[in-house]
Amino acid sequence: MISNYNCIEKELNNISVMDTTLRDGEQNPFCTMYDNEKIEIAKMLEKLNVDIIEAGFAASKGNIEVMKEIASKIKKPYLCGLARATKQDIDATYDAFKKYDKRIVHIFVPTSDVQNDAKLKKSEDELIEMAASAVRYAAKYFQIIEFTPEDSVRSKFSTLTKMCKAVISEGAEVINIADTVGYAMPQEFGQLVKNIKQVVKQESDTVKVSAHCHNDYGMATANTYYAIQNGAGQVETTIWGIGERAGNCSLEQIIALSLRKPRTFDTQIDSTKLYEAAKLVSRATGIKSDFAPIVGKSAFSHKSGIHQHAVVNDVNSYEAVNAKDFGRKSELIMGPCSGYHGVISKAQELGYTIDKTVAANIIIKMSNMVRQKIKREFNDNDIRFMLEVIHKS
Ligand code: KIV
Ligand code: ZN
C-alpha cells in the first residue's frame, strides 16, 4: 500500500486557479465557441469558484465584445485578458473590462531564441525594454499585471532572470512560467519554477509564480503538479485540458490531485460541479473524451465481472478517485464479460430479485448478441427488457 494513504493532513497551501478555457482553450483549432456559449461557460466558471477567468485575447478580432459582455455578467472572480506588449492590446483589454473592478492584464513577450527569431528578431535588451514599458503602461489601468516570458522552458535562464526583474520593478505581480510547446519533463519544470521563485523572492515577497503547461508530451498535468510542489502559487488550466495543439493542463485533473491523499495543496474550486462544467464545454465545442480522468464517460464505470464483484462489496477496491467528490456516481456497466455478482446487483438496482441462473442467462444473451453483431452496449433499459422477458417466460 502506498504509505500515507490515510494520513492526517497538515495545513495546506491554497493555490489560485486561472482558468483559460475561454482563451487558450479556444485556441484549439476544433474548439471555437459562440459568444452565448462563452458567457454560459464564464458563469459556470464563476460557480466553480475559479479565482481568475482568462476571458480572451485582445489581438483576436471579436474577443473584445464578448469580454465586455462577460464583465457585465460576472461578479466574483478576477477577469483577465491576454495582451501582446503593445498599447493597442493593453488599451483594448482595458476597454473590455473598464467597468469591472477586478481586472488583470496578462502581457507576454517571447524569450526563447527560436520564438524571437521567428517572430520579433529583437535583441535581448530590446525584448526586456518592450516588456518593461508595456507593464509600466498597463500599471495605471489594472489591479493586477501578469507577465509571461513566452516559451520560458526553452529560454536562457539569464534572459528569464533579467526579464522577470525588469517587469517586477514596473509592477508585475504574477510571473507565469510557460511551457508553451509542452516540452518539459516534470522534474525539469519543477526545478525551473523553484529557480524562478528564488529570483522573484529577491525582488518581492508578494509576487506569485504561476505555471502554464501544454500537453504535447502528455505531461501538462504532471508538470503543473510539480510546479505546485516547487512553489508555484497559481496554476493555469482548461476544462477537459482543451487548448493549443494537444491542449493544456486540465482543471479537473489538477483538482483531483489536490484531493488526493496525502493532500499537498488546496484550491477554492467546488469539485462537485466539474462534471457539469465539462458537459457544458462539450456541448459548446463538441469535444469530449470517453476515457478522460474524472469527467470521461467511463471514469467511474466497471464492466468486467471480477471488478464488478469487488466493487459491489467495496467501491474502493477498484476506484482510487472518489466519484462523489466530482458530482459523479460509480456505475456497473453490463456486457458479456460481466459476472453473476454484477448482473444480480444491477437487477436489484432496477427493482428485480434474481438468482445466479437468471444472471447467467442474461450474460449468455448479451454474449450472443455481441457475437452476432446485433448490439455491443447494454444500458439499463436493455437489461430491464431482458429481465421482463425472462420474468414472463
Ligand atoms: O502557452 C503560452 O505560452 C501561452 C502564453 C501566451 C501565456 O498561452
Ligand atoms: Zn498556452
Side-chain angles (χ1 to χ4, degrees), residues 28 42 47 53 55 65 88 118 189 247 299 309 338 352 356 367 373:
N28 183 286
K47 277 204 241 164
I53 298 174
E65 284 313 306
Q88 187 194 341
F189 195 71
H309 180 192
S338 296
Y352 298 81
K356 269 187 175 184
S367 179
K373 298 188 179 170

Side-chain angles (χ1 to χ4, degrees), residues 85 90 107-109 111 125-137 145 147-148 163-164 166-167 170:
I90 295 166
I107 300 170
F108 69 101
V109 167
T111 42
D125 284 349
E126 284 169 334
L127 289 176
I128 291 170
E129 178 45 32
M130 194 179 157
S133 60
V135 172
R136 192 181 313 132
Y137 178 72
I145 298 173
F147 180 80
T148 296
M163 185 80 100
C164 290
V167 296
E170 297 294 349

Side-chain angles (χ1 to χ4, degrees), residues 74 93 106 182 189 309 322 352:
I74 293 297
T93 310
H106 176 183
F189 195 71
H309 180 192
N322 185 351
Y352 298 81

Side-chain angles (χ1 to χ4, degrees), residues 274-330:
L274 282 166
Y275 187 46
E276 194 187 330
K279 285 191 285 187
L280 179 63
V281 172
S282 273
R283 285 198 295 277
T285 61
I287 293 284
K288 70 181 172 73
S289 154
D290 287 348
F291 313 114
I294 318 302
V295 292
K297 193 174 171 191
S298 65
F300 301 99
S301 299
H302 306 273
K303 192 172 119 194
S304 93
I306 293 171
H307 288 213
Q308 289 182 345
H309 180 192
V311 163
V312 165
N313 293 326
D314 181 357
V315 75
N316 295 315
S317 57
Y318 280 99
E319 282 183 17
V321 178
N322 185 351
K324 283 199 197 113
D325 285 345
F326 301 96
R328 301 207 60 181
K329 275 196 323 219
S330 303

Side-chain angles (χ1 to χ4, degrees), residues 90 93-94 97 103-105 138-145:
I90 295 166
T93 310
Y94 176 68
F97 294 156
R103 300 185 287 277
I104 301 180
V105 65
K140 289 181 252 148
Y141 304 109
F142 293 88
Q143 281 73 22
I144 296 177
I145 298 173

Side-chain angles (χ1 to χ4, degrees), residues 110-170:
T111 42
S112 67
D113 288 346
V114 61
Q115 287 209 348
N116 179 34
D117 291 348
K119 298 199 287 184
L120 300 177
K121 298 185 176 54
K122 289 190 185 290
S123 69
E124 184 185 84
D125 284 349
E126 284 169 334
L127 289 176
I128 291 170
E129 178 45 32
M130 194 179 157
S133 60
V135 172
R136 192 181 313 132
Y137 178 72
K140 289 181 252 148
Y141 304 109
F142 293 88
Q143 281 73 22
I144 296 177
I145 298 173
E146 169 167 329
F147 180 80
T148 296
E150 193 188 10
D151 204 11
S152 319
V153 162
R154 296 190 298 172
S155 303
K156 292 189 200 86
F157 190 69
S158 57
T159 310
L160 292 178
T161 303
K162 284 183 222 161
M163 185 80 100
C164 290
K165 288 186 174 187
V167 296
I168 290 171
S169 76
E170 297 294 349

